[in-house]
């Protein structure tokens, strides 16, 4: 959210994702990291890969059901292949298989949108004997179920990680380190915010913090209090836990 002053904090989910991604790269394997929106799955994967494989990482993402043709073209552009995409599938596949003989880490974001044929095509590329490809599937609602429903793909997934909401204990530990605004805040105030609004969702914490910075600037307050806190999270769409 381009939040000034925000710091990366080592949540349990982030540390686990880093180890899972590291193991996948070493094994040239496929992994799946999934969870509901705002729990930090994409951030955890991106932060891990910026550290572990910044020059090898390529990303593809779809917002609707792609065809295998769409997938081929997306891979062509993600890998930065020269020239124009081949017009024939066999020629296209040969080009992609040759390119994937180099080491790559492919992040398939919002993987729940991929069709069975697209999963089969990725498995085909991954199973090529000359492939040096690591695949990280990430996604929200339906991602786990979609991958689990394809036995040939599911059996090849090296590890699975569900990223859920933070516990209150973890919130009290990491939020004061997340942003200076919370560094001196009372633990009871942080707990109240989590109980009534954030619900262990890191994206919600970022939005609330953003609103608080605006509210403090406009009101002249120097620290967070309960009145300002309730004003900030009144900006969210709901106060109810998902």
């Amino acid at each position: 959210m381009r939040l000034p002053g925000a710091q990366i904090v080592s949540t349990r989910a982030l540390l686990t994702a880093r180890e899972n991604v590291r193991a996948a790269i070493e094994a040239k394997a496929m992994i799946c990291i999934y969870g509901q929106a705002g729990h930090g799955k994409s951030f955890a994967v991106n932060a891990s890969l910026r550290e572990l494989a910044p020059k090898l990482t390529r990303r593809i993402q779809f917002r609707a059901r792609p065809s295998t043709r769409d997938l081929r073209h997306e891979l062509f552009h993600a890998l930065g292949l020269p020239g124009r995409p081949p017009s024939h599938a066999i020629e296209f596949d040969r080009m992609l298989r040759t390119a994937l003989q180099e080491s790559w880490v492919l992040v398939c974001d919002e993987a729940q949108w991929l069709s069975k044929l697209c999963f089969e095509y990725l498995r085909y590329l991954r199973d090529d004997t000359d492939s040096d490809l690591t695949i990280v599937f990430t996604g929200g609602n339906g991602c786990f179920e979609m991958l689990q429903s394809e036995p040939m793909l599911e059996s090849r997934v090296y590890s699975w990680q569900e990223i859920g909401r933070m516990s209150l204990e973890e919130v009290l530990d990491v939020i004061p380190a997340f942003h200076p605004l919370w560094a001196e805040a009372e633990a009871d105030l942080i707990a109240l915010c989590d109980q009534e609004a954030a619900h262990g969702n890191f994206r919600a914490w970022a939005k609330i913090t953003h609103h608080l910075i605006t509210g403090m600037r406009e009101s002249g307050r120097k620290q967070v209090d309960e009145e300002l806190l309730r004003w900030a999270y009144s900006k969210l769409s709901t106060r109810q836990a998902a």
Side-chain angles (χ1 to χ4, degrees):
M1 296 188 64
R2 307 183 189 280
L3 180 61
Q7 301 293 321
I8 295 176
V9 287
S10 296
T11 63
R12 298 185 185 98
L14 176 58
L15 294 174
T16 302
R18 184 181 297 158
E19 289 309 307
N20 285 334
V21 170
R22 186 194 309 276
I25 293 172
E26 291 175 354
K28 304 299 179 185
M30 296 190 295
I31 63 172
C32 178
I33 298 178
Y34 63 99
Q36 294 185 9
H39 287 172
K41 58 186 177 298
S42 295
F43 182 85
V45 169
N46 292 337
S48 299
L49 288 171
R50 279 196 297 269
E51 175 186 337
L52 299 172
K55 296 182 179 179
L56 303 181
T57 300
R58 298 295 183 270
R59 293 173 174 82
I60 60 173
Q61 180 176 342
F62 299 96
R63 293 297 185 183
R65 295 285 182 197
S67 66
T68 51
R69 180 181 182 278
D70 297 328
L71 181 56
R72 286 186 179 96
H73 281 259
E74 192 70 11
L75 287 169
F76 179 89
H77 293 294
L79 295 172
L81 299 180
R84 301 181 61 181
S87 55
H88 299 290
I90 293 177
E91 183 183 355
F92 213 145
D93 292 347
R94 186 181 300 114
M95 173 181 282
L96 290 174
R97 290 171 64 189
T98 299
L100 293 173
Q101 290 177 18
E102 300 180 29
S103 293
W104 295 107
V105 179
L106 179 66
V107 178
C108 298
D109 202 7
E110 302 298 343
Q112 68 271 14
W113 287 109
L114 295 176
S115 66
K116 179 178 180 178
L117 288 176
C118 287
F119 282 129
E120 285 293 320
Y121 186 69
L122 288 171
R123 181 178 66 83
Y124 157 74
L125 293 176
R126 171 65 187 77
D127 286 353
D128 189 286
T129 55
D130 294 322
S131 172
D132 203 5
L133 178 64
T134 299
I135 301 180
V136 181
F137 293 108
T138 71
N141 293 335
C143 180
F144 174 82
E145 293 78 7
M146 176 63 74
L147 268 69
Q148 285 277 327
S149 70
E150 302 297 335
M152 294 295 288
L153 183 66
E154 187 274 339
S155 66
R156 287 167 169 78
V157 175
Y158 185 69
S159 63
W160 304 80
Q161 180 186 352
E162 181 178 10
I163 295 185
R165 66 183 63 190
M166 294 181 291
S167 66
L168 177 58
E169 178 187 8
E170 186 168 21
V171 166
L172 293 173
D173 183 45
V174 304
I175 292 303
F178 164 60
H179 195 278
L181 182 146
W182 300 107
E184 302 299 327
E186 295 290 336
D188 288 348
L189 199 63
I190 295 175
L192 177 69
C193 182
D194 195 63
Q195 179 183 359
E196 293 193 346
H199 308 303
N201 184 299
F202 224 118
R203 186 174 297 161
W205 272 106
K207 288 191 289 186
I208 291 167
T209 305
H210 213 295
H211 287 306
L212 281 171
I213 291 172
T214 300
M216 291 175 70
R217 182 176 64 246
E218 294 180 351
S219 67
R221 284 176 167 89
K222 300 301 182 183
Q223 61 184 16
V224 179
D225 56 36
E226 187 171 331
E227 180 185 10
L228 186 62
L229 185 63
R230 292 183 184 277
W231 169 85
Y233 59 63
S234 72
K235 303 293 185 180
L236 305 186
S237 62
T238 179
R239 295 186 185 182
Q240 301 300 317

